[in-house]
Amino acid sequence: MSKYLQKLDTVGWPLLVAAALYYSVTSVWDKWAIGMALVGGIAIVTGLVANYKHIMQTLGKRSTKYLTNYVVSVLLVLALVVGLNFFGQRHSRRFDLTGVGRFTLAPQTTQILGKLNKELQIKAFFPGGTYPPLKELMTEFRGASHNVRFEFIDPDKNPEVAKQYGVTEYGTFTNPFTGSSMKSAPWSCCMKGARKRSRKSRKRSKKRI
Amino acid sequence: MGLFISTLTENQIVAGLITFAVILVLWLVDSFSASAQGAMRDVLSYLSVIGHLDDFIKGVIDTSNVIFYVTFAFVGLFLTYRSLETMRWKS
């Protein structure tokens, strides 16, 4: 009898995995998922209790202690690295080394973003679900204020979202203040470098005249 | 990462091939992120090794990118160290 009980944990693990897979597909904890998870859990616990002596013998071995030490140290380092990256991502600093400050926001833009006291949700509808120049700008916006949220949406893949915002053309944005859609926005004026460049080009055109 | 994989096998060709496969996955993970949704999308795009290089190419130093590369190298070296130590107590 105890021979069979000792093998119960090997039956329990596949049942638990099956329950997790079933839940990941259906997203509902129905009677099947709960049943499989419960039976799996009971089988594992019973198997562990039946194997108690054997487990204690294995834990006393030198190699097991080394292995535990190895696994714990790796997990600790991974947790530390994940935490560091999370913190680094949340509190990142950007240093623009370009001559004209091409990737630096204009002081006025930084000031406005700094005053944001509620979340600003921007949805941009572009083919393929991305547009690198705007993505760069949005990254700068998010660096200036954590209240800025942006999302690129491919209108071909998500027609229902496009319909919801009344988008009929590529390159349309949702107005974060009114919620309506707008075709174009003066994004370029937000950058420090763009202002300098436009001033220079104006001067050049005046000289030509 | 290649150093760590080299410690797992005695055969250089196998180590080279596995390293190539891992680097390929880290390179393509950005493309996979496009089809993912929600938090998974953010995590996958953050893991992209190439994606963190874009800012450096433009001339922008972002501390989060520096942290990513430094910690990535650190994890590889740490795993190599632990793997070599394991070899010592196994033999």
Side-chain angles (χ1 to χ4, degrees):
Chain A
M1 182 67 184
S2 65
K3 196 179 161 189
Y4 291 110
L5 283 176
Q6 280 172 356
K7 286 182 180 172
L8 266 179
D9 58 335
T10 46
V11 181
W13 286 114
L15 275 173
L16 262 190
V17 172
L21 282 175
Y22 185 84
Y23 173 71
S24 65
V25 174
T26 58
S27 303
V28 184
W29 280 109
D30 62 358
K31 60 179 181 180
W32 289 104
I34 294 172
M36 276 196 290
L38 265 178
V39 173
I42 292 166
I44 289 168
V45 172
T46 316
L48 288 176
V49 170
N51 281 315
Y52 179 72
K53 270 187 184 173
H54 181 68
I55 291 167
M56 288 315 281
Q57 275 173 359
T58 318
L59 282 177
K61 278 183 185 172
R62 201 173 155 208
S63 58
T64 316
K65 281 179 184 168
Y66 273 122
L67 186 72
T68 316
N69 183 19
Y70 176 84
V71 173
V72 169
S73 67
V74 168
L75 286 178
L76 274 176
V77 165
L78 283 180
L80 186 80
V81 163
V82 169
L84 207 65
N85 274 275
F86 184 75
F87 187 78
Q89 176 81 353
R90 278 286 173 100
H91 304 278
S92 65
R93 283 282 171 93
R94 290 170 73 80
F95 301 98
D96 185 2
L97 303 183
T98 56
V100 288
R102 206 180 148 191
F103 302 103
T104 307
L105 291 174
Q108 293 89 333
T109 314
T110 318
Q111 205 182 349
I112 292 167
L113 289 173
K115 281 179 187 171
L116 279 179
N117 51 12
K118 63 174 187 177
E119 204 171 271
L120 195 72
Q121 186 84 35
I122 303 167
K123 285 184 167 64
F125 296 84
F126 281 90
T130 187
Y131 184 59
L134 188 67
K135 198 177 178 185
E136 282 166 12
L137 182 69
M138 292 299 153
T139 312
E140 300 296 337
F141 274 17
R142 201 154 68 172
S145 171
H146 290 298
N147 282 325
V148 175
R149 295 268 178 280
F150 68 91
E151 193 184 349
F152 280 96
I153 296 165
D154 186 352
D156 298 321
K157 280 186 185 168
N158 302 289
E160 67 284 349
V161 184
K163 202 177 172 185
Q164 186 189 337
Y165 289 96
V167 175
T168 51
E169 278 179 80
Y170 289 131
T172 306
F173 309 90
T174 55
N175 187 330
F177 301 102
T178 62
S180 60
S181 66
M182 52 188 191
K183 178 69 188 90
S184 62
W187 300 110
S188 59
C189 69
C190 302
M191 307 306 280
K192 197 177 168 187
R195 283 173 164 245
K196 277 186 183 174
R197 279 202 304 278
S198 62
R199 262 183 231 148
K200 275 184 186 174
S201 59
R202 245 181 276 150
K203 276 181 188 173
R204 264 183 224 148
S205 58
K206 272 182 187 174
K207 275 179 189 174
R208 274 179 209 154
I209 294 163
Chain B
M1 204 44 75
L3 263 180
F4 169 59
I5 293 161
S6 295
T7 62
L8 298 178
T9 172
E10 284 182 13
N11 192 320
Q12 293 97 324
I13 297 166
V14 173
L17 280 174
I18 296 173
T19 308
F20 177 75
V22 170
I23 291 171
L24 193 71
V25 168
L26 287 171
W27 182 46
L28 292 174
V29 81
D30 206 22
S31 314
F32 300 146
S33 72
S35 52
Q37 298 265 316
M40 196 62 173
R41 184 178 184 158
D42 294 339
V43 170
L44 285 178
S45 66
Y46 188 76
L47 283 175
S48 164
V49 177
I50 302 295
H52 288 275
L53 208 64
D54 290 343
D55 279 336
F56 289 113
I57 294 168
K58 288 188 303 191
V60 178
I61 308 285
D62 192 322
T63 49
S64 69
N65 294 332
V66 176
I67 289 172
F68 175 80
Y69 284 119
V70 171
T71 50
F72 193 79
F74 174 74
V75 167
L77 288 172
F78 177 77
L79 289 175
T80 310
Y81 167 70
R82 294 305 300 189
S83 179
L84 286 174
E85 217 176 38
T86 312
M87 264 182 212
R88 211 173 293 152
W89 60 256
K90 261 186 183 172
S91 58

